[in-house]
Amino acid sequence: DIVMTQSPDSLAVSLGERATINCKSSQSVLSSSNNKIYLAWYQQKAGQPPKLLIYWASTRESGVPDRFSGSGSGTDFTLTISSLQAEDVALYYCQQYYTSPYTFGPGTKVDIK
Amino acid sequence: EVQLVESGGGLVQPGGSLRLSCVASGFAFSTYWMHWVRQVPGKGLVWVSHVNSAGTTTTYADSVKGRFTISRDNAKNTLYLQMNSLRAEDTAVYYCVREKWTFDYWGQGTLVTVSS
């Protein structure tokens, strides 16, 4: 199974400041057949199901604010919130969908400082 | 509007069975792969199972293989998860999830509690 890890476990950022979350996969999730990276990011607010933010490592889902961006390649990935808003307080998960079982990272909690 | 509405959760004794349902609307259900993902309250997300659009191919997490069965009825726009031989560690919120590249729409979830 591909193991996903995230860092930090939690972070507190001032409103308007940048938040950066890291994710690492235990093996590459880059497909050689189509050159796509099978890595997604989700946001989960309290009492709600997860919401897809980013797929193919850097493609923003429709309707997601452009302050959210994804980057990375191979086995190291980053989710950046360029200017933290109050509504961004949530848990954030990375996930690989390269191969079954489709594994998630343990999550990173983002709070306001 | 895409909607996924789960039902069938509840309290069940260890060794018991439950069948979860997920009714889909707002999209062409029969053309999408579907998944179940579970989450112990306060913990992380764990993929459970998937079924292809025709219902002919299924995969399972090792932790549920041989005990859970995923299926679908495309005529009823409904996804199912038959859960047998339930254990305390199966206690979780179970989400019905649509796949478009990855998991793009999630239901609100249904809570399954396995306890005596």
Side-chain angles (χ1 to χ4, degrees), chain B residues 20-61:
Chain B
L20 306 183
S21 299
C22 169
V23 176
S25 61
F27 67 100
F29 178 73
S30 63
T31 65
Y32 286 83
W33 288 23
M34 297 295 295
H35 299 252
W36 289 97
V37 174
R38 68 186 182 185
Q39 183 173 37
V40 175
K43 301 294 185 184
L45 299 162
V46 177
W47 171 82
V48 173
S49 180
H50 115 274
V51 60
N52 70 344
S53 55
T56 55
T57 300
T58 59
T59 57
Y60 299 92

Side-chain angles (χ1 to χ4, degrees), chain A residues 1 38 40 42 44 47-52 54-56 61 91 93 95 97 100-106, chain B residues 33 35 37 39 43-47 50 59-62 95 99-109:
Chain A
D1 297 3
Y38 286 65
Y42 300 86
Q44 187 176 32
Q48 296 184 19
K51 172 189 173 184
L52 177 64
I54 303 282
Y55 57 99
W56 302 135
E61 174 72 334
L91 275 162
Y93 296 93
Q95 178 225 8
Y97 50 104
S100 175
Y102 307 105
T103 44
F104 295 84
Chain B
W33 288 23
H35 299 252
V37 174
Q39 183 173 37
K43 301 294 185 184
L45 299 162
V46 177
W47 171 82
H50 115 274
T59 57
Y60 299 92
D62 286 346
Y95 294 105
E99 178 187 323
K100 179 185 177 185
W101 318 126
T102 187
F103 300 166
D104 68 336
Y105 278 95
W106 299 60
Q108 288 297 311

Side-chain angles (χ1 to χ4, degrees), chain A residues 23-82:
Chain A
C23 172
K24 190 175 183 69
S25 57
S26 62
Q27 62 191 77
S28 175
V29 295
L30 168 65
S31 171
S32 56
S33 63
N34 60 9
N35 206 35
K36 287 186 179 291
I37 302 172
Y38 286 65
L39 189 284
W41 289 96
Y42 300 86
Q43 174 193 65
Q44 187 176 32
K45 297 182 179 180
Q48 296 184 19
K51 172 189 173 184
L52 177 64
L53 295 177
I54 303 282
Y55 57 99
W56 302 135
S58 60
T59 301
R60 205 177 299 115
E61 174 72 334
S62 175
V64 173
D66 60 7
R67 64 180 180 273
F68 291 93
S69 64
S71 64
S73 60
T75 60
D76 291 276
F77 308 96
T78 299
L79 175 70
T80 301
I81 309 172
S82 61

Side-chain angles (χ1 to χ4, degrees), chain B residues 54-116:
Chain B
T56 55
T57 300
T58 59
T59 57
Y60 299 92
D62 286 346
S63 59
V64 307
K65 204 171 293 182
R67 300 187 299 121
F68 289 13
T69 302
I70 190 172
S71 62
R72 64 192 297 162
D73 185 335
N74 286 342
K76 295 182 177 179
N77 287 349
T78 303
L79 175 72
Y80 302 101
L81 186 67
Q82 176 68 44
M83 304 186 296
N84 298 330
S85 303
L86 282 161
R87 306 167 179 167
E89 54 265 36
D90 296 318
T91 294
V93 173
Y94 284 74
Y95 294 105
C96 166
V97 185
R98 187 182 87 164
E99 178 187 323
K100 179 185 177 185
W101 318 126
T102 187
F103 300 166
D104 68 336
Y105 278 95
W106 299 60
Q108 288 297 311
T110 186
L111 176 63
V112 172
T113 303
V114 184
S115 175
S116 54

